[in-house]
Amino acid sequence: MPHSTDALSRFYAVIPAGGIGSRLWPLSRADAPKFLHDLTGSGHTLLRDTWDRLAPLAGEQRIMVVTGRAHRAAVEAQLPELADANVVLESEPRESTAAIGLAAAILNKREPGVIIGSFAADHVIKNSTVFRDAVRQAVAAADSGQIVTLGIRPTEPAIGFGYIKTGEALTIEGAPSALAVESFVEKPDLATAKMYVSSGQYLWNAGMFIARADRLLEEIGASEPTLLAGLLELADAWDTPERGIVVDRVWPNLKKIAIDYTVAEPAAAAGKLAVVPGQFDWDDVGDFASIAKIHSGGRKRDLAILGEGARVLADSSSGIVVSHTKRMIALIGVEDIVVVDTPDALLVTTSANAQRVKAVVDALKLSGSTDVL
Amino acid sequence: MPHSTDALSRFYAVIPAGGIGSRLWPLSRADAPKFLHDLTGSGHTLLRDTWDRLAPLAGEQRIMVVTGRAHRAAVEAQLPELADANVVLESEPRESTAAIGLAAAILNKREPGVIIGSFAADHVIKNSTVFRDAVRQAVAAADSGQIVTLGIRPTEPAIGFGYIKTGEALTIEGAPSALAVESFVEKPDLATAKMYVSSGQYLWNAGMFIARADRLLEEIGASEPTLLAGLLELADAWDTPERGIVVDRVWPNLKKIAIDYTVAEPAAAAGKLAVVPGQFDWDDVGDFASIAKIHSGGRKRDLAILGEGARVLADSSSGIVVSHTKRMIALIGVEDIVVVDTPDALLVTTSANAQRVKAVVDALKLSGSTDVL
């Protein structure tokens, strides 16, 4: 069994920075996706916070970002330390297996034996120290050949997250907390979520995966051999003058499929998936209700106000106002309200309806109102 | 008793165009008061609609407008037919007794025996023909020496209006519908309002007064002799080169008091007040809930949308959106909502809270946010 200190020196962090975050419209847009916003009041974008969380672990020369061509300039402005060789640009979005798989293939070619960890650019994590300790254990576990995920100890019976059902404790050097994963379960209803939490057996699935790149590619190949062949072809050409031609030919034809289906679920079913439980605060900031919760520090009776120079006059004691226009915003007698004020679009809804914001984006697409998407 | 046809030839309409309409903030502003807005979707401002309603009755040479100096240009742009001699400018607002009393004093000096009718610039009336028939009767009744008001037959137990308790039928030539007024009553609670409506004895008080100018001034003098003296001094100087000097000296010192207290209530108590009931649709458009009601034609299950080029995507089936910015406005899962979107200020409230909008204006004044008032 290899030494875990060696393992960490072979660690490479991958940040897939894709996804517009339709449930955060009109804040998140095609040209200003969720990861380019400061949704926590930290003063930094979610992408920058993700980088700052990973750099102490991987080193800033060992963080790769996979993003859309359209976002290259914005990403590089946020991450001036990002090396050119660590920028992977997608000509069009092809889902997470292609994005993470391409990073794995490129890095494995450059550096056989590399261990990669994939961390979304648009999640919120407090307690970075605890997070990094969990990642260190996950890296050690990954080095033993496991596909490893981080699972978050639930603090409430959330119905907006998927859950991981844990099995027996594993005995892996450097990963004392690692457990076997029995299965992944979809977002539950409230009664089921309560049962999950009280059982102590379930963790939130934060969608973070850590694995040896070769093992990850092996899993992809087992599920989707054609997709793997495409990824390897891309990786072979990546650091050559052929990159552009091969990308134009291969990338648009890759199957669009989430890594949950190609890697996580098959590996769990085969007993090759481990989870390291983490006690850190995590949120995928999936909708405005989630942002409101982050800002109120869990207190339900606070109106959260985001936006530099926001002018808000309100008697509301709950909900959230996002102000990107410096207009005076007056709220009277509205509770659990969500108001998002941007120069060309305004959203008014409630916390309870926050998940339905995506439907607006769908309707705007259908109606051809692409100017505000 | 004079002939009513003669009386109508001595009729002069007065339109007090004052009052910002604080409950309609941020639509109504100091520099864009309620009467300068199209709140009905007629394509005309309320002021213009008021003019068009009165011109067939009085003739466009016999309509006087009393307004603030700051609104002169806007008023004249709305009413190109308005004669210079019929513009009375207030250097500062001094309430309705001063405004209507000054018009009465000026007109009575120019044309002794004139009958004036005062009609707010910011009310909504449908059925103009029925309205004019009521005014004709009111003019005939006024010529007999009565102070006359129009009362609206209630269509519902409204709690936002004052009521007029009617007495016996009067027998006045040309005014077959005229009744004595027993008293004015303040805005009632719902139970009282229901009792008023079912009794058949009560009318809504629309605040419209018709009287011989000399009788009106006599009533003002009986209540407020000093105020009357000021008005007569102003009227004496009005059509002379001294106007400016006298206005600057006298106007700012006139007592601020509503005509309800100087004329209507004392005249009612003395049995000198008549009311002509009207069957026309009337609304004082006091708040956004009232605008929503006007636009939905009384149907509660319609979302009213105001504003040229408004872009609204909503699943709400009630409430009102006023769009003055052409921004995309998306509403999800909010009912009875009030959203007023202007370039520098946004209001979000509910129909039930619409009356409380004035509190926002008060709070903005207190906080020094005068740029959005």
Side-chain angles (χ1 to χ4, degrees):
Chain A
M1 188 170 283
H3 299 291
S4 61
T5 47
D6 290 349
L8 196 61
S9 71
R10 282 176 283 122
F11 176 62
Y12 224 101
V14 175
I15 304 176
I20 290 166
S22 294
R23 288 184 185 83
L24 295 180
W25 182 91
L27 189 61
S28 291
R29 305 288 184 99
D31 62 353
K34 183 178 155 193
F35 60 82
L36 291 175
H37 292 276
D38 168 17
L39 300 180
T40 65
S42 71
H44 306 126
T45 62
L46 295 179
L47 173 62
R48 181 70 223 185
D49 279 339
T50 303
W51 176 279
D52 289 340
R53 200 153 50 230
L54 292 166
L57 210 54
E60 60 188 28
Q61 293 305 309
R62 296 177 69 85
I63 305 179
M64 176 172 269
V65 177
V66 185
T67 193
R69 281 184 186 167
H71 303 311
R72 177 181 199 157
V75 165
E76 292 182 343
Q78 284 297 312
L79 309 174
E81 309 93 326
L82 177 62
D84 278 352
N86 283 335
V87 180
V88 174
L89 297 177
E90 301 170 304
S91 54
E92 55 177 275
R94 303 304 299 169
E95 274 278 8
S96 55
T97 301
I100 299 166
L102 177 58
I106 294 169
L107 291 172
N108 196 53
K109 185 164 174 68
R110 290 183 186 165
E111 183 180 318
V114 69
I115 295 167
I116 70 163
S118 165
F119 306 92
D122 54 8
H123 291 182
V124 168
I125 291 174
K126 295 179 190 170
N127 329 97
S128 291
T129 309
V130 180
F131 163 78
R132 284 191 288 264
D133 180 61
V135 177
R136 271 186 213 101
Q137 291 199 42
V139 169
D143 198 34
S144 75
Q146 296 270 345
I147 307 290
V148 190
T149 186
L150 300 190
I152 317 297
R153 284 257 173 249
T155 52
E156 56 174 341
I159 60 172
F161 305 142
Y163 285 71
I164 297 167
K165 186 177 185 191
T166 60
E168 58 183 4
L170 301 173
T171 49
I172 304 175
E173 193 184 336
S177 311
L179 306 169
V181 170
E182 275 196 16
S183 60
F184 287 90
V185 291
E186 296 290 317
K187 296 177 185 180
D189 60 24
L190 186 61
T192 310
K194 283 182 177 169
M195 187 269 284
Y196 287 172
V197 174
S198 63
S199 77
Q201 253 198 308
Y202 290 79
L203 304 169
W204 287 336
N205 176 13
M208 297 184 265
F209 295 102
I210 298 94
R212 282 204 333 249
D214 56 359
R215 280 287 296 116
L216 195 78
L217 294 167
E218 188 183 337
E219 291 292 330
I220 294 172
S223 304
E224 297 288 343
T226 310
L227 178 48
L228 176 65
L231 294 173
L232 296 177
E233 192 179 355
L234 284 164
D236 279 343
W238 198 260
D239 292 324
T240 77
E242 307 303 310
R243 183 202 293 185
I245 294 166
V246 178
V247 165
D248 288 350
R249 178 168 50 79
V250 175
W251 183 261
N253 298 308
L254 294 183
K255 183 169 179 178
K256 287 172 116 167
I257 182 168
I259 199 161
D260 309 72
Y261 307 123
T262 55
V263 175
E265 291 181 4
K272 294 183 286 185
L273 195 84
V275 60
V276 174
Q279 286 283 11
F280 49 89
D281 287 340
W282 164 86
D283 202 300
D284 68 355
V285 210
D287 61 27
F288 287 111
S290 152
I291 300 180
K293 204 177 72 181
I294 290 168
H295 280 261
S296 64
R299 292 182 304 279
K300 287 217 167 176
R301 303 282 84 185
D302 269 343
L303 179 71
I305 298 174
L306 272 78
E308 208 181 332
R311 300 174 78 187
V312 178
L313 187 72
D315 62 2
S316 310
S317 57
S318 57
I320 181 167
V321 177
V322 183
S323 165
H324 276 215
T325 67
K326 297 191 169 55
R327 299 194 303 165
M328 177 63 70
I329 300 176
L331 310 182
I332 310 172
V334 284
E335 291 297 335
D336 281 320
I337 195 79
V338 173
V339 174
V340 184
D341 186 44
T342 75
D344 61 350
L346 168 69
L347 170 71
V348 179
T349 185
T350 63
S351 298
N353 286 283
Q355 282 280 318
R356 294 174 55 211
V357 172
K358 192 174 181 302
V360 170
V361 174
D362 295 340
L364 290 172
K365 276 181 195 157
L366 275 175
S367 70
S369 301
T370 50
D371 58 316
V372 292
L373 289 176
Chain B
M1 189 170 283
H3 298 292
S4 62
T5 48
D6 289 348
L8 197 59
S9 71
R10 281 178 283 123
F11 176 62
Y12 224 101
V14 175
I15 304 177
I20 290 166
S22 294
R23 287 184 186 82
L24 296 180
W25 182 91
L27 190 61
S28 292
R29 306 287 185 100
D31 61 353
K34 185 179 155 193
F35 60 84
L36 291 176
H37 292 277
D38 169 18
L39 300 181
T40 66
S42 71
H44 306 128
T45 62
L46 295 179
L47 173 63
R48 181 70 221 184
D49 279 339
T50 303
W51 176 280
D52 289 341
R53 199 153 53 232
L54 292 166
L57 210 55
E60 59 189 29
Q61 294 304 310
R62 295 177 68 84
I63 305 179
M64 177 172 269
V65 176
V66 186
T67 194
R69 281 184 185 166
H71 303 311
R72 176 181 199 158
V75 165
E76 292 182 342
Q78 284 297 311
L79 310 175
E81 309 94 325
L82 177 61
D84 278 352
N86 282 335
V87 180
V88 174
L89 297 177
E90 302 171 304
S91 54
E92 55 177 274
R94 302 303 299 171
E95 273 278 8
S96 55
T97 301
I100 300 167
L102 177 58
I106 294 168
L107 291 171
N108 195 55
K109 183 163 176 67
R110 289 182 187 166
E111 183 179 319
V114 68
I115 295 167
I116 70 163
S118 165
F119 306 92
D122 55 7
H123 291 181
V124 169
I125 291 174
K126 295 179 190 170
N127 329 100
S128 291
T129 310
V130 180
F131 163 76
R132 284 191 288 265
D133 180 60
V135 176
R136 271 185 214 99
Q137 292 199 42
V139 169
D143 198 34
S144 77
Q146 296 270 345
I147 308 290
V148 189
T149 186
L150 300 189
I152 317 298
R153 285 255 174 249
T155 53
E156 56 174 342
I159 59 170
F161 304 141
Y163 284 71
I164 297 167
K165 186 177 186 191
T166 61
E168 58 182 5
L170 300 173
T171 49
I172 303 175
E173 193 184 336
S177 309
L179 305 169
V181 170
E182 275 196 17
S183 59
F184 287 90
V185 290
E186 296 291 317
K187 298 177 185 180
D189 60 25
L190 186 61
T192 309
K194 283 182 176 168
M195 186 270 283
Y196 287 172
V197 173
S198 64
S199 77
Q201 251 197 308
Y202 289 79
L203 304 169
W204 286 337
N205 175 14
M208 296 184 266
F209 295 102
I210 299 95
R212 281 205 333 249
D214 55 359
R215 281 287 296 116
L216 196 79
L217 294 168
E218 187 183 336
E219 291 292 330
I220 293 172
S223 304
E224 296 287 344
T226 309
L227 178 48
L228 176 65
L231 295 173
L232 295 177
E233 191 178 356
L234 284 164
D236 279 342
W238 198 260
D239 292 325
T240 75
E242 307 304 311
R243 183 201 291 185
I245 292 167
V246 177
V247 165
D248 288 349
R249 178 168 49 81
V250 175
W251 183 260
N253 298 309
L254 293 183
K255 183 169 180 179
K256 287 173 116 166
I257 181 168
I259 199 161
D260 308 73
Y261 306 123
T262 53
V263 174
E265 291 181 3
K272 294 182 283 186
L273 195 85
V275 61
V276 174
Q279 285 282 10
F280 48 89
D281 287 339
W282 165 86
D283 202 301
D284 68 354
V285 211
D287 61 28
F288 287 111
S290 152
I291 300 180
K293 204 178 72 183
I294 290 168
H295 280 261
S296 64
R299 293 183 303 280
K300 287 218 167 174
R301 303 282 82 183
D302 270 343
L303 178 71
I305 298 175
L306 272 78
E308 208 181 333
R311 300 175 77 189
V312 178
L313 187 72
D315 63 1
S316 311
S317 58
S318 56
I320 181 167
V321 176
V322 183
S323 165
H324 275 215
T325 67
K326 296 192 168 55
R327 299 194 305 164
M328 177 63 71
I329 300 176
L331 310 182
I332 310 172
V334 282
E335 292 297 335
D336 282 319
I337 193 81
V338 174
V339 174
V340 184
D341 186 43
T342 75
D344 61 350
L346 168 69
L347 170 72
V348 179
T349 184
T350 64
S351 298
N353 286 283
Q355 282 279 319
R356 294 174 55 211
V357 172
K358 193 173 181 301
V360 170
V361 173
D362 295 340
L364 290 172
K365 274 181 198 160
L366 275 177
S367 69
S369 300
T370 50
D371 57 317
V372 292
L373 289 176

